[in-house]
Amino acid sequence: MTFQTIGVIGAGQMGNGIAQVFAASGFDVRLNDLSGEALEGAVARISKNLDRLVARGKATDDEKAAIMSRIGTTTDLGDLGESDLVIEAATEREDIKSRIFSDLQPSLQPHTILASNTSSISITRLGAGTDRPERFIGLHFMNPVPVMKLVELIRGINTSEETYRAMLGLIERIGKISASAEDYPAFIVNRVLIPMINEAVYALYEGVGNVASIDAAMKLGANHPMGPLELGDFIGLDTCLAIMNVLHDGMADTKYRPCPLLTKYVEAGWLGRKVGRGFYDYRGETPVPTR
């Protein structure tokens, strides 16, 4: 299989990072979103990221211009149909992802491979809803995509060996390292990481410590670069809650029950950094714990 044109669905934090990485590796990228404003914002973020690389001497102005020239944007999902690979990076909700793949299907070429950047949802189930389950796979990039080296590679039951091998080679081509995971709820990284964050929220909920002490304890006592509550804010508390619900439903084990306080923060709209408030308030010059 050869790849030249990559379609990316979703212009949020993950989608724009995926687009940047593929464009920087020489691929033509078509970035899609329902919102033209979101697409403009994504292109601006990519440009800003590249400006930082230029300032550090890790890229030239000509290299930046070449990367930007390889990124096209569209609000028409059908424009991605000519792509060799389409990666969905939409909101972590199965109904939304399934609808996207259904709407995309009529415009696809026979050879096109479909991938989801889902961090927790069944690849087998998503792929079964398409006309090409053997050419459907999970590519879970880590955030921030341009910086983090890992890509979780998840095969559904129907995913062919040819598709799997092609994705192994593609991940290597874009300078990333793959970790193959079985198609079980939340895969590897989030199966371990998100319950840790949820347990930190329980520690806060039960009064074991406050936000600052819990994060300091894990940074200084376990040598974590970021405390679990700070990390939850960085990931997005709505995403953390969605993954805990997938684990709880998929594993039928009460140890994965979401903390009520996490649910309350999401209900309040305190989703973390992306909205300016979560376990920390980011609206001032420095983050301030909210509990």
Side-chain angles (χ1 to χ4, degrees), residues 7-270:
V8 179
I9 301 171
Q13 194 171 29
M14 297 303 294
N16 74 70
I18 293 168
Q20 177 183 326
V21 164
F22 275 98
S25 298
F27 296 92
D28 296 322
V29 177
R30 295 169 177 159
L31 181 60
N32 165 266
D33 199 280
L34 291 172
S35 166
E37 185 178 341
L39 290 169
E40 291 175 8
V43 170
R45 282 191 294 274
I46 293 169
S47 180
K48 187 175 180 180
N49 288 343
L50 295 174
D51 283 339
R52 284 197 290 266
L53 294 179
V54 172
R56 295 176 194 156
K58 294 185 177 180
T60 66
D61 288 325
D62 287 345
E63 286 170 337
K64 176 196 170 180
I67 293 169
M68 296 302 298
S69 73
R70 289 193 283 267
I71 301 173
T73 63
T74 178
T75 56
D76 185 350
L77 194 61
D79 289 342
L80 273 57
E82 299 292 325
S83 304
D84 302 308
L85 168 68
V86 177
I87 303 170
E88 168 273 316
T91 302
E92 190 69 357
R93 279 180 48 188
E94 187 169 348
D95 58 334
I96 292 175
K97 293 177 185 294
S98 295
R99 186 167 64 249
I100 286 171
F101 287 121
S102 177
D103 292 345
L104 178 66
Q105 193 164 291
S107 62
L108 293 173
Q109 298 300 302
H111 72 277
T112 302
I113 291 176
L114 297 178
S116 177
N117 184 57
T118 179
S119 56
S120 62
I121 298 168
S122 170
I123 296 301
T124 298
R125 197 162 59 240
L126 286 174
T130 74
D131 65 344
R132 59 197 67 209
E134 74 285 351
R135 289 191 296 282
F136 193 100
I137 199 163
L139 295 179
H140 179 212
F141 290 81
M142 303 296 116
N143 185 30
V145 179
V147 175
M148 301 295 280
K149 298 295 288 184
L150 181 72
V151 179
E152 275 187 309
L153 185 56
I154 306 104
R155 278 186 286 189
I157 288 177
N158 289 308
T159 305
S160 70
E161 183 69 13
E162 184 184 17
T163 297
Y164 172 69
R165 293 292 171 189
M167 291 300 101
L168 277 175
L170 188 64
I171 291 169
E172 184 177 1
R173 190 172 161 190
I174 62 173
K176 301 294 186 185
I177 298 169
S178 60
S180 296
E182 294 299 321
D183 187 22
Y184 292 109
F187 319 129
I188 296 172
V189 173
N190 285 330
R191 171 76 175 268
V192 176
L193 178 65
I194 301 301
M196 182 197 73
I197 292 172
N198 189 59
E199 194 62 29
V201 181
Y202 264 114
L204 178 64
Y205 177 62
E206 294 168 2
V208 178
N210 59 28
V211 169
S213 63
I214 291 168
D215 276 352
M218 294 306 294
K219 284 191 285 187
L220 301 177
N223 205 28
H224 289 195
M226 190 181 293
L229 300 174
E230 183 184 5
L231 181 57
D233 278 356
F234 180 74
I235 293 169
L237 300 185
D238 52 339
T239 300
C240 293
L241 179 60
I243 294 169
M244 285 306 302
N245 281 325
V246 166
L247 279 165
H248 191 228
D249 295 343
M251 305 301 287
D253 191 328
T254 56
K255 75 178 182 180
Y256 295 116
R257 66 196 185 282
C259 179
L261 183 60
L262 177 60
T263 301
K264 286 299 179 186
Y265 266 63
V266 173
E267 288 175 346
W270 292 20

